[in-house]
Amino acid sequence: MIPGKYRSVSGRAANNVNCGLHLVIQTSSLPEKSKVEFKLNKEMPSFSGRLLQHDLERNYSSRQGDHIHLASSSMPSFPILQRSSEEKILYSDRLTLERQKLTVCPIIDGEEHLRLLNFQHNFITRIQNISNLQRLIFLDLYDNQIEEISGLSTLRSLRVLLLGKNRIKRISNLENLKSLDVLDLHGNQITKIENVSHLCDLRVLNLARNLLSHVDNLNGLDSLTELNLRHNQITFVRDVDNLPCLQRLFLSFNNISTFESVCCLADSSSLSDITFDGNPIAQESWYKHTILQNMMQLRQLDMKRVTEEERRIASVVAKKEEEKKRESHKQSLLKEKKRLTINNVARKWDLQQNRIPNIAPNQDRKVSDSPQDPSQLHGSTVSAFPEETGSLDSGLSNALQGLSVTDTHLVEVDGDTLSLYGSGALESLDRNWSVQTAGMVTTVSFTFIEFDEIVQVLPKLKIKFPNSLHLKFKETNLVMLQQFNALAQLRRVDQLTIDPQGNPVVNFTLWKYYVLFRLSHFSMQKINGTEVTQNDMIMAERLFGILAHVASSELPQYRLISILGDVRKKQFRYLLETKGKKPGLVNEENSDSKRLVGENTNRATLNYTTRDFYNERLEEIKEKKRFCKMYMEDLVKEATEINMKNEALQKLWPQMFIELVRDAVIEIRNKNAYMKLCLQQITDQK
């Protein structure tokens, strides 16, 4: 016999349960005297925190002293527990086997009347040998090594089951525990809430410190009043609004980042106490106001009482947030409408430029009307506007279902920029723009519009928006340098931006120098975002100054006037009249005219020709070429025929000459007859 005595550390059992326990354990078939005796005096502190204030605690508060015998059974691995008759009488309904280094549940013989059983702080790996304790109400297996819930099917009276701090991975085998009131599974490895919907009497469920990523499958827990989910990995919550009695919900220290992921809580009418501290959502500035506004019934938030002043402030802030949200939704809707319209304009432009094949209108609408699809049309220009695309929430997508995308143009004023998309947008220049708006516009952007059409409205642009200093062109078919001549009729241009997309003219190496030369009277500051230097102006004059002078000097005055057109004739005449005069002889009126004109003779002759007129001239030239070609072909054909006839005559002439001489000799051989014949012919002619 090996005697030994141990003093236990304070454990966890029913409220203030003090036990003086004397154990006698027999682990083999040795005689009665071969026993190991343990004397343990224990003072058990309260574990009401782990029971979450459960009301059954008070039923198990007493002092207990057991004399327990764990004798060997027919199966050596399972010891048999026996108590003396005195201890059974004194503590008839409870048994505590805390911190006994048990690896298995002992066989409890003759204790069918037990109501409380405590196995805290042992090394038990499996629940077994307690199926005969059918009156058991309270079972505590806290801090063991249990991996699976099992062996409880016969305990139909069980109301409190404490399995915290074990190794359980799955909630299972609770089908027969329909009277369960408290279920503590904290500190395990559970990843999913399941198999609890039948526990209609369950009031307290503790799943703190597990591996849960979401909350659902709570339907059927109609009596649940407290749910502890602290220290998990939860990102969203569902089904909580279906718990009619839930009052306290603890979600501290999870991964909840948005109110939308827990929005079902707003539909719960019974919740009065909730915690979100330790979540990303609790760090947001709108956190408290949003929670209180959506959950008006709350009495405590993060373990702090909610005051009426806080509710009032939350209501005010929530109204402002709602207004801000509506405005944001409106702006998102307008932005998406803009994107769809631009896509529609871009598709029409591509069809006009023969970049993509024509598609049936219903198919075109499907492509353009899809909010999720940025409408990348086989490399077409639609994909050139990524800033207009973006993902949409479901509410905005629903709002866009009835959005019309049949518009073929778009006019937008954003700050100091007027943006025109599609040729139809040019008609907006005929509007009665307010003086404030018109005066504020300094940048005008043209997109998906033929440059020839833009030229026609430049006089209106000069009048309607007198402060416009910056022009932008994108997808306007600028293909020739001479098209820049049209900009000379504007009042002033400080900046010019020609996007390479849809404007092949920028592929010419010297296009910037031509712009600086032709529009030198504007003293332009930037071209495509690059500052214009004095060296640039000198280079432009060197490259194009002589050519312009030669071109203008070779033309007579009447020809120059006819080329310039009616609008420029007066300006050109002024240039000719003042050319060569001394500066002191120019009167004040001529000085004003010169300031308005701002161009010299050479530049003024570089006028703009529309593409239609240019094409007409090309057709006219082609027609003249065809006429000349036909005329020359006819002359060559006629000359060839004459030459052929001449060659044939040269071959026949010798024989013809002989025959002529012979016929003449024969004819005049009889002189009298010949004379008579000649007289007769003369007589006949009269």
Side-chain angles (χ1 to χ4, degrees), residues 335-336 339 371-374 385-393:
K335 183 177 180 181
E336 183 62 13
R339 185 184 73 83
Q372 291 79 14
D373 185 5
F385 294 89
E387 69 275 5
E388 305 297 341
T389 64
S391 59
L392 305 174
D393 56 30

Side-chain angles (χ1 to χ4, degrees), residues 108-274:
I108 303 175
D109 189 21
E111 299 283 355
E112 287 77 10
H113 54 281
L114 280 179
R115 295 166 61 84
L116 182 150
L117 180 58
N118 181 1
F119 284 114
Q120 290 184 29
H121 305 293
N122 283 289
F123 303 98
I124 298 171
T125 59
R126 185 178 179 184
I127 306 173
Q128 52 192 347
N129 299 326
I130 60 173
S131 59
N132 59 319
L133 307 178
Q134 298 185 9
R135 295 185 181 180
L136 198 64
I137 293 178
F138 191 110
L139 177 59
D140 191 348
L141 286 160
Y142 172 79
D143 190 18
N144 279 276
Q145 298 180 11
I146 298 169
E147 297 183 357
E148 181 183 8
I149 303 175
S150 62
L152 304 174
S153 59
T154 61
L155 306 182
R156 299 179 182 275
S157 299
L158 194 65
R159 298 190 61 192
V160 179
L161 177 59
L162 308 181
L163 288 169
K165 201 175 179 182
N166 277 279
R167 301 177 181 179
I168 299 169
K169 297 181 179 179
R170 187 170 180 267
I171 304 175
S172 60
N173 300 319
L174 300 176
E175 289 76 14
N176 294 332
L177 306 184
K178 296 183 179 180
S179 299
L180 205 60
D181 190 78
V182 175
L183 177 59
D184 184 1
L185 292 170
H186 82 277
N188 282 282
Q189 303 171 21
I190 299 170
T191 59
K192 181 181 180 182
I193 301 176
E194 57 185 342
N195 301 320
V196 294
S197 59
H198 63 285
L199 302 176
C200 56
D201 291 334
L202 189 68
R203 292 195 307 113
V204 178
L205 176 59
N206 187 355
L207 290 170
R209 296 187 183 278
N210 277 280
L211 303 176
L212 298 174
S213 61
H214 56 276
V215 179
D216 54 8
N217 296 328
L218 296 174
N219 294 324
L221 301 180
D222 296 338
S223 301
L224 194 67
T225 60
E226 183 172 308
L227 178 59
N228 189 347
L229 298 169
R230 291 187 179 100
H231 293 282
N232 277 278
Q233 303 169 13
I234 296 169
T235 57
F236 67 90
V237 177
R238 285 199 296 257
D239 296 344
V240 174
D241 53 320
N242 296 327
L243 303 177
C245 298
L246 186 65
Q247 299 177 12
R248 295 176 296 279
L249 176 62
F250 306 110
L251 289 165
S252 305
F253 300 100
N254 280 283
N255 294 329
I256 299 170
S257 58
T258 64
F259 181 76
E260 285 72 18
S261 60
V262 294
C263 61
C264 65
L265 301 179
D267 298 327
S268 175
S269 58
S270 58
L271 266 178
S272 61
D273 189 354
I274 194 169

